Amino acid sequence: MSDYDLVIVGAGSGNMIADHRFDDWRIAIVDAGPFGGTCLNRGCIPSKMYAHTGEVAATAADGPRLGVRTSYDGADWPAIRDRIMGRIDENAAGGRDGQAKRDNIDVVVGEARFTGPRTLTVDLEAGGERTLTADRVVLATGSRPVVPPIDGLEELGGADHGCVHTSDSIMRLDALPQRMAVVGGGYVGSEFADVFHSLGVEVLQVESAERLLSTQDREVADLFTASAAERWDVRLGTQLTRVEAAGDGAGGDGLRLHLDDGSTETVGVLLLATGRRPNSDRLDLDGTGIDVDDAGRIVVDAHQRATADGVWALGDASSPFPLKHVANHEARVVQHNLLHPDAPVETDHRFVPQAVFASPQVAAAGLTEEQAREEVADLVVGRAEYGATAHGWALEEDDRHGEATGHVVKLLADRATGLLVGAHLIGPQASVLIQPLLQAMALGTPVAGLARAQYWIHPALTEVLEGALLDLDEQLAG
Amino acid sequence: MSDYDLVIVGAGSGNMIADHRFDDWRIAIVDAGPFGGTCLNRGCIPSKMYAHTGEVAATAADGPRLGVRTSYDGADWPAIRDRIMGRIDENAAGGRDGQAKRDNIDVVVGEARFTGPRTLTVDLEAGGERTLTADRVVLATGSRPVVPPIDGLEELGGADHGCVHTSDSIMRLDALPQRMAVVGGGYVGSEFADVFHSLGVEVLQVESAERLLSTQDREVADLFTASAAERWDVRLGTQLTRVEAAGDGAGGDGLRLHLDDGSTETVGVLLLATGRRPNSDRLDLDGTGIDVDDAGRIVVDAHQRATADGVWALGDASSPFPLKHVANHEARVVQHNLLHPDAPVETDHRFVPQAVFASPQVAAAGLTEEQAREEVADLVVGRAEYGATAHGWALEEDDRHGEATGHVVKLLADRATGLLVGAHLIGPQASVLIQPLLQAMALGTPVAGLARAQYWIHPALTEVLEGALLDLDEQLAG
């Protein structure tokens, strides 16, 4: 007999599984880190708390344009950090304590690796090791930031050097630097560049591609890139080739960065945001029958089953969508399939939305226009600019007092099916505005007439959605 | 033969009707005021521009709580006013010029009154009068603020006194007063109280009912009232009984207000926001066969036809919902019915949403909980607080650093039909967050399972909707 009915490795989304329907299961939850995983401790949640704080600073700095004498005169960084991370740490501890109190659940703190079929040995944080056998294993081990190979970085100690950070450590800085470099133009790099810029740090962002957010719809990426480049120093098509300690090398003087555009820059902090990789490599999967793909993701079927019996995986460990709302969805699928093995459900990866919580915000789901032009024979594009709505005037989105922002809602529909195939929003509240579109996509609601079937409060920002849907109507009728 | 195929009286929503499908109609558009009506010139649009400006000031004043050294040090009122009203005036003029240029449209500037069946005499702004006959008449004459009977007010000249304002004039003040009184606790009074308070004016708001926003769901109204009372001086169950000039009576010293709570208050500005009435009384409707109800609204059927042949009405002139998005909807119904008299469509007054653009925002549609408890035999209530979501933490909505705001999404469903019957939101972005609910209500989408049918971006503010829908799911299953 196994020690446990179920062992869950990873207390991020994995920790959602063992609700009270599992009260008669013997369960172990294994994690070396704090409960809540990347999202709570080092990811989405605290980063959005910083994003809001940065937005308040930016709003105050920008007020005089509207005729209000507002100002931003610097950040009390320790107060911000302690406010945010204090809440995070309290929540993580509360999550662990809550599970540990339950009679049927053992919380095991340490790194787990396979030492046999459904047999895991944990290097305990408290010292020593412990081996657990289980009837079922769920791998929810997440991912971690990649530290790219850069000349000189390893000699400095990589991300252990006091001036070198990934998203794992950047939110716990001792002090704000005067100047920082962000390597990477994806959403992680761009969100942090925006926050630190808003708080008053001189930011240099380095991206090897020709635009920031390069996986987004081209138009959205270009608009975002142009906006960022107006606010901080963005170097596109550029790579960081070498890094060394500035000054006497003791670290107190920061880092000297050599870029392949020929420039040399000195910064107090270097943030590496060049991607993440699944933590599957730490599980000793060789010989377990649990397959991993070329990107290091555990291979799962539509029921989230791995290739070995009695093993499931979810979230960044296995998913092509390294997003918390997807991990949570997959966790619910695993949960259901554990409870109802004879009536398993499948994961739904259609229309997975994602957002970038910077200024401007970006939100998207489905195909980009470039993808849709390849895949959809009769593509219809509807669009509306924020500046063309009354609420957009309130936000000074149009060109009366400066340049128009160009913030836009762009909708892609397939004339053959009458359904949305993509939605791309860039501008204030994009992450909220996208929801009626997600609802329509998920429910298969035809877009023709959708604008006129419902009321849109005037003059709310939702009128930009109404405008884009009406434009789509006109194209569909034309 | 009549002079015109169509005369439209009122260039607010009425001005939307004559699009290019009417190019072979002879049309007159009559309005004494600027094009765009109340909404553009004296209502929703400029007031939301002020609301955003006030919000920026309030955000800057509140920043130190988050650890950013932001501040608000006063308003440059003339700059704000000229920025906002300059844009408004330009738009109104552009709207009139655009119509006047069209060959088939005459723009007639003046007050119209009936002098025969489908015969209108206009007191021209330029002097003299002109009589127009028409095959069809559309009455879109809107509404105006009520000036309540208050002792002493008429002697002062009513709303013509320099210190006495309604929403028609308050947005064009010469200067910000140090102190102002707002009479009325509805959305107009509350929005302006919020704006002027945010800009630094000492605000006294007087409301005869026991709460502000008293037509909203009780819980929402109570929460809003409590929040307002923390920020400015709110007098509930109180009436303004007498007003007189302060100081030497010349007006420069403002007004002395006598309240029935026994207090006397001196203010620089008095804003009367005690409701609006339809402008039907200015049309000389007696003997036209055009009926008016007790509230002064022109009586119309579901096709927006008035009780006299060839006469339609829409918007505040006739609607039980004095809201711009409803007037626009009704204008589209009239437009269709003019073009397609043999296939008329009906107005849809189900689930009319409305919002209050103050802090906190309020948005609602359908029944209040109090109404629903009367009308729905098996009522199910789902709710979620902003503070329980990750984005709510970013906005400091929970109680970790002060009191929880209590901002909430409350959903009402009828177990018998499985449909939403009401939605009530109070908190940031309520006017945007309500849209997926409006979409579900309008399309008759069952609420059971709606939360899980779609993705909700983590950690976007939409998770509070997801939470309320999940709570509803649980109640429906329980």
Side-chain angles (χ1 to χ4, degrees), chain B residues 216-257:
Chain B
Q216 296 284 340
D217 181 271
R218 181 75 57 94
E219 178 181 358
V220 166
D222 282 341
L223 195 55
F224 184 89
T225 303
S227 168
E230 278 177 22
R231 299 196 297 142
W232 60 84
D233 185 355
V234 176
R235 308 276 181 94
L236 301 169
T238 303
Q239 287 192 295
L240 170 59
T241 51
R242 192 156 61 84
V243 53
E244 60 192 345
D248 61 7
D253 296 321
L255 302 170
R256 192 171 305 114
L257 309 181

Side-chain angles (χ1 to χ4, degrees), chain A residues 179-182 202-206 233 235 257 259 265:
Chain A
R179 189 145 197 266
M180 79 186 290
V182 176
E202 285 173 41
V203 173
L204 165 71
Q205 188 177 14
V206 179
D233 185 355
R235 307 277 181 93
L257 310 181
L259 307 180
E265 307 285 347

Side-chain angles (χ1 to χ4, degrees), chain B residues 175-227:
Chain B
L176 281 186
Q178 197 200 316
R179 189 142 197 269
M180 77 186 290
V182 176
V183 177
Y187 77 93
V188 174
S190 298
E191 287 185 357
F192 282 118
D194 185 61
V195 167
F196 286 105
H197 164 78
S198 295
L199 293 180
V201 177
E202 285 172 43
V203 173
L204 164 71
Q205 189 176 13
V206 179
E207 164 60 44
S208 57
E210 289 306 321
R211 51 182 63 78
L212 303 180
L213 304 184
S214 60
T215 61
Q216 296 284 340
D217 181 271
R218 181 75 57 94
E219 178 181 358
V220 166
D222 282 341
L223 195 55
F224 184 89
T225 303
S227 168

Side-chain angles (χ1 to χ4, degrees), chain A residues 150-158 161-164 240 242-258 264-270:
Chain A
I150 295 168
D151 262 12
L153 185 59
E154 210 174 313
E155 293 87 319
L156 289 173
H161 185 276
C163 296
V164 180
L240 171 59
R242 192 156 61 83
V243 54
E244 61 193 344
D248 61 6
D253 297 322
L255 302 170
R256 190 172 303 116
L257 310 181
H258 299 268
T264 303
E265 307 285 347
T266 304
V267 298
V269 163
L270 169 63

Side-chain angles (χ1 to χ4, degrees), chain B residues 124-364:
Chain B
L124 297 169
E125 188 188 56
E129 59 178 45
R130 187 175 151 198
T131 295
L132 319 169
T133 60
D135 293 342
R136 304 165 195 83
V137 174
V138 172
L139 300 174
T141 46
S143 62
R144 64 182 185 274
V146 167
V147 176
I150 296 168
D151 262 12
L153 185 58
E154 209 174 315
E155 293 87 319
L156 289 173
D160 291 330
H161 186 277
C163 296
V164 180
H165 294 268
T166 66
S167 56
D168 279 358
S169 57
I170 190 74
M171 292 186 271
R172 296 185 192 258
L173 282 178
D174 289 331
L176 281 186
Q178 197 200 316
R179 189 142 197 269
M180 77 186 290
V182 176
V183 177
Y187 77 93
V188 174
S190 298
E191 287 185 357
F192 282 118
D194 185 61
V195 167
F196 286 105
H197 164 78
S198 295
L199 293 180
V201 177
E202 285 172 43
V203 173
L204 164 71
Q205 189 176 13
V206 179
E207 164 60 44
S208 57
E210 289 306 321
R211 51 182 63 78
L212 303 180
L213 304 184
S214 60
T215 61
Q216 296 284 340
D217 181 271
R218 181 75 57 94
E219 178 181 358
V220 166
D222 282 341
L223 195 55
F224 184 89
T225 303
S227 168
E230 278 177 22
R231 299 196 297 142
W232 60 84
D233 185 355
V234 176
R235 308 276 181 94
L236 301 169
T238 303
Q239 287 192 295
L240 170 59
T241 51
R242 192 156 61 84
V243 53
E244 60 192 345
D248 61 7
D253 296 321
L255 302 170
R256 192 171 305 114
L257 309 181
H258 299 268
L259 307 179
D260 69 355
D261 63 2
S263 63
T264 303
E265 306 285 346
T266 304
V267 298
V269 163
L270 169 63
L271 171 63
L272 301 170
T274 55
R276 302 178 65 86
R277 66 145 293 150
N279 288 325
S280 56
D281 55 331
R282 296 177 169 174
L283 284 167
D284 279 5
L285 293 178
D286 279 357
T288 60
I290 300 170
D291 292 346
V292 167
D293 72 11
D294 291 344
R297 292 190 289 249
I298 296 168
V299 173
V300 294
D301 66 11
H303 299 137
Q304 298 298 137
R305 280 186 308 213
T307 50
D309 257 8
V311 180
W312 285 258
L314 64 91
D316 289 9
S318 60
S319 186
F321 300 97
L323 296 162
K324 176 65 171 168
H325 43 280
V326 177
N328 287 351
H329 169 69
E330 293 172 354
R332 287 189 296 268
V333 168
V334 170
Q335 185 181 49
H336 175 98
N337 293 347
L338 289 168
L339 290 168
H340 309 286
D342 299 332
V345 294
E346 294 192 355
T347 294
D348 183 355
H349 281 162
R350 302 170 311 145
F351 312 122
V352 170
Q354 25 97 10
V356 183
F357 290 85
S359 175
Q361 267 192 16
V362 169

